[in-house]
Amino acid sequence: MTDLKSSSTTSSTDEADRALKSKHRAMWASGDYPALAHDLIWSLGPRLVEAVDIRPGERVLDIAAGTGNAAIPAALRGASVVATDLTPELFDAGRRHAREAGAELEWREADAEALPFSDGEFDVAISSIGIMFAPHHERSSAELLRVTRSGGRIGLLSWTPSGLVGQMFAAMKPFNAPPPPGAQPAPLWGDEQHVRGLLGDAVTDVHAVRDTVRVDRFASGVEFRQHFASHYGPVIAVYNRNADDPEKLAALDAALDAVGDAVLEDDGGMRWEYLLLTATVR
């Protein structure tokens, strides 16, 4: 006998998950993330590719690849690369960057929590500040492990909770909607113990290091906030949510200005902290 209550609950959960993913896709398609990624953090992709030691002929999956800051340098090493993302609107910029670099790779729309690939299909799976934004960490980490062959390698580069981007998300939390049930904060992927817990006994040879990327674009917290409010989907979404409340908008401005000012160094630069973790799948 079919359990009608269970079936109804599952259907409702699936519908809510589809709505959440649709919202995420629209959020990342808003603003101009391709420009922000290229101008500020493009160097993180080659850093990840070097750390995971991608080699010619390897089959590589880049999860939540965005515009390809890791996928493109992986392809330039001679790997066969599939770049995936929930937001295919980002692929136009990625394809342009690939052409300019002389790289050939495949671009494919895919959800990090339900990857359309076979078990063990890839020699290497990577993600540069991408998989961290999938809302259900257990699902996306399970998929990351599932599609990587035994003896294959994974490489993850994620913003830390204590770094600038983690602080920015913490500052926006009072102005944001409550997270859906089961969703976890993205910067937790920058917490080594959290990631080790997600990967568990499925990996060995885990190596994790905290490092920073230097950003010289902003002379003040105000400039930092203005740029993110016009380019970065998660920040744009928070401003849209509070658009009808001038007092909240002013408080949000002040909170983000303070985050930027707090990491501004004497010479005018900023250092944004990230966690780089590599491991071998058992």
Side-chain angles (χ1 to χ4, degrees), residues 2-277:
T2 301
D3 186 337
L4 295 180
K5 182 177 181 181
S6 176
S7 177
S8 175
T9 300
T10 300
S11 177
S12 176
T13 301
D14 290 345
E15 186 174 328
D17 193 55
R18 285 192 295 270
L20 176 62
K21 299 301 174 60
S22 179
K23 181 180 178 181
H24 275 213
R25 173 177 172 171
M27 178 182 72
W28 287 106
S30 65
D32 193 351
Y33 182 74
L36 184 150
H38 185 267
D39 295 345
L40 303 182
I41 54 175
W42 196 256
S43 64
L44 295 180
R47 173 82 169 91
L48 174 60
V49 168
E50 179 181 2
V52 81
D53 189 25
I54 290 176
R55 304 156 195 165
E58 288 188 314
R59 177 93 165 141
V60 176
L61 175 66
D62 188 354
I63 301 171
T67 54
N69 75 323
I72 292 171
L76 291 174
R77 284 192 166 210
S80 174
V81 179
V82 181
T84 66
D85 204 279
L86 184 68
T87 307
E89 289 87 346
L90 303 175
F91 291 166
D92 286 344
R95 292 188 179 99
R96 184 177 69 253
H97 292 316
R99 285 194 302 270
E100 292 170 352
E104 294 186 6
L105 61 154
E106 178 184 350
W107 301 86
R108 185 165 176 181
E109 180 180 352
D111 181 353
E113 297 180 2
L115 294 169
F117 304 108
S118 302
D119 295 357
E121 186 170 339
F122 295 92
D123 300 302
V124 184
I126 58 175
S127 188
S128 175
I129 53 174
I131 196 173
M132 65 180 291
F133 291 104
H136 306 102
H137 297 187
E138 288 80 7
R139 292 185 203 170
S140 53
S141 59
E143 284 292 271
L144 165 75
L145 295 168
R146 180 184 66 79
V147 301
T148 309
R149 67 169 175 82
S150 177
R153 306 182 308 286
I154 61 173
L156 305 168
L157 193 152
S158 309
W159 300 124
T160 65
S162 58
L164 177 135
V165 177
Q167 292 177 43
M168 179 179 70
F169 276 91
M172 293 191 299
K173 185 177 180 180
F175 305 92
N176 220 336
Q184 294 173 281
L188 280 178
W189 278 88
D191 181 314
E192 180 181 346
Q193 294 309 309
H194 179 73
V195 182
R196 284 179 177 270
L198 291 173
L199 302 178
D201 294 335
V203 298
T204 185
D205 299 327
V206 178
H207 179 70
V209 61
R210 288 187 180 217
D211 205 343
T212 60
V213 60
R214 168 93 176 182
V215 176
D216 292 316
R217 177 68 177 264
F218 310 114
S220 67
V222 171
E223 287 188 11
F224 159 78
R225 181 253 303 169
Q226 290 174 337
H227 191 79
F228 270 71
S230 62
H231 286 68
Y232 194 62
V235 178
I236 293 170
V238 174
Y239 272 95
N240 288 342
R241 185 173 187 272
N242 294 276
D244 295 329
D245 191 327
E247 289 188 4
K248 284 190 175 180
L249 287 177
L252 178 58
D253 283 350
L256 293 180
D257 291 351
V259 169
D261 284 332
V263 299
L264 192 64
E265 299 179 343
D266 292 340
D267 62 0
M270 294 178 171
R271 294 191 180 276
W272 299 1
E273 186 182 60
Y274 60 86
L275 176 75
L276 176 58
L277 184 143

